[in-house]
Amino acid sequence: MIRTRARRARTLAYGATVLGVVAVVAGAVFSGSTLAAYQDQAHARTNAIAAAVTTPFTPGISKNVRMVDTGLGLSNDGNVYVWGRTDMAMAGGAAGTGTDKPPTKVPGMPDGGLTAVTGGIYNINALDRQGEVWGWGYYNVRDGTDAAKPADNPQRVRIGSAWNGGGAILNEIVAISSTEYAGAGIRADGTVWHWGSPTSYGGNAGAGASRLMGLPDPAVAGNRPVYLKGAYTNFFVILENGDVYYWGGAAGTSSSLPSALPNVDSNPALVSPLSSWMRKNVAAGEPYVVAVDGGIAMGGALLSNGQVLSWGVDSSRIGARGTGPWPYTITPGIVPALSNIVSLQFGFTGVALLDNTNRLWGYGASDDYGKFPQTPTVIDTNVVQYGSGQGYYLWQKSDNTFWGRGYNPQGSIGLPSDNTSTNRQVSWDLGMVAR
């Protein structure tokens, strides 16, 4: 049964009020933004960004996923796999789909030719080596294909039309990400394109993909995007000059935005509460924002020195970094307990973070389905990769075992398909997405 927004609000939202980080750096695309990769003496450079289309991909659990009951990953041989809930067209027409299913290869795309995958609530987009974007899943409008697909097989996203229309095929894309209802990508020329519905979740108003207008001209030095991440209802972009922009953002305190920033639909705006930490505004050697993400009524940003900023509507959504009146909690501030962090990934009501010694940290709201503590805590050690769904967390350890915890009624973290508030080894064989 499809989980409705009303039911999700009862289960995952905060009280009555309420993915891998993808970056393009030094001409390459990588998942799980790391400080070493992001920084050099001249800071980020994207002069050779077009070459990223043919650079080696990084397989593994998708870090850009807003899915409820479905696990998602890119295999070592360049294919997309889904597990847990694989019906509702999320397996792209593969046979034998349903719930509590082991990893299933999604057919209908270039075999072994995929470089990235990202998921919304019930839809998925994949990127191939030609820089073309494929979409499939339950709601045609959300993956950019905008029309029924024969046998539910993935189809390519076009510009300004449904997949079977007359628009040009969207190409030369080098990075993709998702919010709950929409997708977006960075093109080789530095422009940003988006698709999906509604615009309050970062999508566009028309069929297919369209260019996101309003960002600084990428042809001007310093203006090329080097980071793209879909949060709950909005996308974040970081330019090579360090400026942080957003678009989308459903109105109200349920968004991922700090200081109750408004929904700007498809009109990008600076994330002004982060201005003090944007690279051009800090003194030489001082930390600046290199990644940003968020869930329901909470969010956070990673700084270049490994510290983490957080914001949220109450103290349980900010890593218990302090207490105080309303303006305190929704204003970004340093989480004292976290240092040497190299990447972060928000679910809906919690966040997982990896430090430079491969320790997986986490904290969650009082209603976090992963049951992360409200104070930042080491969840596991010897972790080589990780990802988050809406209410579950998955990770791989150095001994090649996979572990998970959280919301699991359809088997996204294996069997038995019940919720778990403690770490549990995943029963599925996920060797195809191992690192």
Side-chain angles (χ1 to χ4, degrees):
M1 183 180 208
I2 302 171
R3 201 155 61 121
T4 64
R5 177 166 296 280
R7 181 180 171 197
R8 188 166 64 259
R10 288 195 300 270
T11 56
L12 289 179
Y14 164 67
T17 60
V18 163
L19 43 110
V21 175
V22 172
V24 183
V25 180
V29 177
F30 67 95
S31 297
S33 171
T34 63
L35 300 181
Y38 191 93
Q39 296 182 96
D40 58 27
Q41 290 184 346
H43 302 291
R45 291 290 180 268
T46 58
N47 296 334
I49 190 172
V53 174
T54 56
T55 57
F57 66 97
T58 302
I61 303 165
S62 175
K63 293 180 69 67
N64 293 271
V65 61
R66 297 288 165 187
M67 309 194 84
V68 181
D69 301 310
T70 305
L72 178 67
L74 182 67
S75 70
N76 293 280
D77 61 0
N79 291 292
V80 172
Y81 280 78
V82 293
W83 57 90
R85 180 162 206 162
T86 61
D87 57 358
M88 295 173 59
M90 288 185 286
T97 61
T99 60
D100 295 338
K101 294 295 183 179
T104 301
K105 178 182 172 181
V106 179
M109 294 177 287
D111 189 51
L114 304 175
T115 63
V117 63
T118 180
I121 181 172
Y122 296 124
N123 287 81
I124 303 172
N125 287 113
L127 180 65
D128 69 24
R129 293 183 183 277
Q130 305 306 312
E132 297 175 349
V133 178
W134 297 75
W136 69 98
Y138 194 76
Y139 295 98
N140 299 314
V141 70
R142 294 180 185 173
D143 58 37
T145 59
D146 285 283
K149 296 173 278 293
D152 293 328
N153 287 167
Q155 299 294 335
R156 288 176 295 184
V157 175
R158 294 179 178 269
I159 296 173
S161 79
W163 71 269
N164 55 358
I169 292 172
L170 181 64
N171 62 5
E172 298 185 357
I173 298 296
V174 298
I176 55 175
S177 192
S178 301
T179 63
E180 187 182 25
Y181 289 167
I186 300 173
R187 211 170 188 183
D189 61 2
T191 58
V192 174
W193 294 71
H194 63 141
W195 53 89
S197 177
T199 52
S200 58
Y201 281 75
N204 60 359
S210 62
R211 180 179 171 181
L212 179 74
M213 305 304 293
L215 287 172
D217 182 359
V220 176
N223 286 348
R224 280 182 176 262
V226 296
Y227 176 94
L228 170 68
K229 185 66 180 66
Y232 169 38
T233 63
N234 67 277
F235 288 96
F236 291 108
V237 164
I238 303 176
L239 307 184
E240 63 179 348
N241 64 15
D243 287 349
V244 184
Y245 282 82
Y246 80 99
W247 77 94
T253 57
S254 64
S255 79
S256 307
L257 299 167
S259 296
L261 289 171
N263 169 28
V264 293
D265 287 332
S266 298
N267 303 292
L270 275 173
V271 185
S272 53
L274 294 179
S275 292
S276 298
W277 292 278
M278 293 182 195
R279 181 163 62 84
K280 71 180 182 182
N281 296 328
V282 304
E286 292 299 307
Y288 55 90
V289 175
V290 296
V292 59
D293 194 9
I296 294 177
M298 64 188 300
L302 176 62
L303 300 182
S304 57
N305 65 349
Q307 290 183 301
V308 174
L309 299 170
S310 72
W311 56 87
V313 298
D314 66 37
S315 60
S316 80
R317 280 174 147 70
I318 57 174
R321 64 174 168 85
T323 59
W326 175 272
Y328 181 88
T329 56
I330 63 174
T331 301
I334 297 290
V335 182
L338 295 172
S339 61
N340 298 315
I341 300 299
V342 297
S343 66
L344 77 172
Q345 170 67 37
F346 276 77
F348 264 20
T349 50
V351 57
L353 315 96
L354 194 68
D355 72 14
N356 62 0
T357 63
N358 298 109
R359 294 184 299 176
L360 184 70
W361 291 75
Y363 68 83
S366 56
D367 57 351
D368 184 32
Y369 264 47
K371 301 300 181 184
F372 277 178
Q374 294 175 32
T375 300
T377 302
V378 174
I379 305 301
D380 209 344
T381 58
N382 300 315
V383 173
V384 298
Q385 65 159 323
Y386 69 101
S388 303
Q390 285 194 12
Y392 67 81
Y393 306 94
L394 283 167
W395 62 93
Q396 178 195 349
K397 292 172 64 71
S398 58
D399 62 2
N400 288 325
T401 58
F402 284 81
W403 295 74
R405 65 190 285 171
Y407 186 75
N408 188 45
Q410 311 289 355
S412 57
I413 59 174
L415 301 177
S417 55
D418 54 2
N419 300 339
T420 173
S421 59
T422 57
N423 300 349
R424 190 182 78 186
Q425 188 167 350
V426 177
S427 62
W428 308 130
D429 178 4
L430 297 181
M432 76 293 295
V433 297
R435 292 184 187 169

